[in-house]
Amino acid sequence: IVCQPAKILNFLRRQKYNADYELTAKQGADTLAYVALLEEKLLPAALHTFWVESDNYFTVTKPWFASRIPFPLSLILPGRMSRGALNRILLTRGAPPLYQLQEVEAQIYRDAKECLNLLSYRLGTSQFFFGDTPCTLDAYVFGFLAPLYKVRFPKVQLQEHLKQLSNLCRFCDDILHSYFRLTLGGTPPAGPESVDANLRKLTQLVNKESNLIEKMDDKLRQSPQLPPRKLPTLRLTPAEEESNSFQRLSP
């Protein structure tokens, strides 16, 4: 299992999948700069929205994650993740003069709103950040914005600001419609279950072929085989041996 965006992207690049193949050197540098901006300015506010804000945590995040974690870890891990998010915010953004948690919260939300404004300005009226096809930056931005945009929070401080930026909302809606939409029959695209079913069918076919080959080998082993034929040994008569010896001695 490959986790974390950077590791996933590196894994895909090793498999010859690179969404940034057609980007220029400047666009590649801009991608790195904006990814760093997201992790520095938007990530702390996203962590606070999901894991630290008490109303959001107890109403949305904790039940959501606990429903996907087996008992008894469902009683332990959400609280541990919440404390980890708070510690990360305080360690990275709690430097002087921001000594109080309320001051840190106010600062990280100011930074997050500024980051959203910069992203909105950079996107403009384009469908994606660089051209007509999505790239790494689009994936990063969507990963940050879509949960903030779609999850129904009791406290919507950052969500309200995001919904005021219409081009970022359109950006999320376009990706959701293009890559996460239902099929024409109203069912979602092929998921892990259908993939597993196809793998099982393929495995069954391979096993049948193997069984057929083994049966053919058994039949060949059990079939009657003729013993190897011995070649007759040729011997010379005494007169032929004598004449042959004279021929070898003659000059």
Side-chain angles (χ1 to χ4, degrees), residues 1-8:
I1 298 176
V2 183
C3 302
Q4 303 301 325
K7 295 180 180 179
I8 293 172

Side-chain angles (χ1 to χ4, degrees), residues 10 19 58 73 106 113 191 197 230 234:
N10 290 333
F58 287 107
L73 294 178
K113 292 176 181 179
K230 294 183 179 181
L234 300 178

Side-chain angles (χ1 to χ4, degrees), residues 48-139:
H48 188 276
T49 300
F50 275 92
W51 293 101
V52 180
E53 177 59 55
S54 59
D55 290 342
N56 295 343
Y57 172 72
F58 287 107
T59 305
V60 177
T61 310
K62 183 178 180 180
W64 187 10
F65 274 75
S67 65
R68 308 301 300 174
I69 301 174
F71 179 85
L73 294 178
S74 59
L75 303 177
I76 301 171
L77 289 183
R80 182 179 297 177
M81 296 170 73
S82 176
R83 292 189 295 272
L86 178 60
N87 291 334
R88 177 170 180 170
I89 292 172
L90 293 177
L91 287 174
T92 56
R93 308 306 300 275
L98 304 177
Y99 294 101
Q100 301 294 326
L101 179 59
Q102 292 78 8
E103 297 175 347
V104 176
E105 292 175 354
Q107 182 61 46
I108 62 175
Y109 278 105
R110 282 195 297 269
D111 292 343
K113 292 176 181 179
E114 180 183 356
C115 178
L116 292 176
N117 293 337
L118 290 173
L119 292 174
S120 176
Y121 178 78
R122 177 62 184 83
L123 180 63
T125 58
S126 303
Q127 183 179 5
F128 300 108
F129 282 91
F130 299 113
D132 298 329
T133 56
C135 62
T136 298
L137 180 58
D138 297 286

Side-chain angles (χ1 to χ4, degrees), residues 119-190:
L119 292 174
S120 176
Y121 178 78
R122 177 62 184 83
L123 180 63
T125 58
S126 303
Q127 183 179 5
F128 300 108
F129 282 91
F130 299 113
D132 298 329
T133 56
C135 62
T136 298
L137 180 58
D138 297 286
Y140 263 95
V141 173
F142 176 80
F144 277 98
L145 298 189
L148 294 171
Y149 175 48
K150 287 296 184 179
V151 176
R152 298 180 180 178
F153 293 113
K155 295 291 184 68
V156 292
Q157 178 179 357
L158 192 60
Q159 191 178 66
E160 287 180 344
H161 186 79
L162 173 59
K163 289 184 176 180
Q164 294 175 2
L165 305 172
S166 59
N167 60 342
L168 293 182
C169 296
R170 174 189 50 78
F171 170 81
C172 294
D173 290 332
D174 289 345
I175 292 181
L176 287 170
H177 176 73
S178 300
Y179 299 98
F180 298 91
R181 62 183 177 182
L182 299 177
T183 59
L184 294 178
T187 57

Side-chain angles (χ1 to χ4, degrees), residues 2 14 16 21 27 31 36-37 45 56 67 79 94-95 120-121 124 140 151 153 157 190 193 201 206 217 227 251:
V2 183
R14 288 196 297 269
K16 310 301 182 183
Y21 181 77
Q27 291 173 336
T31 297
L37 178 69
N56 295 343
S67 65
S120 176
Y121 178 78
Y140 263 95
V151 176
F153 293 113
Q157 178 179 357
E193 294 81 5
K201 291 180 181 178
V206 172
D217 289 341

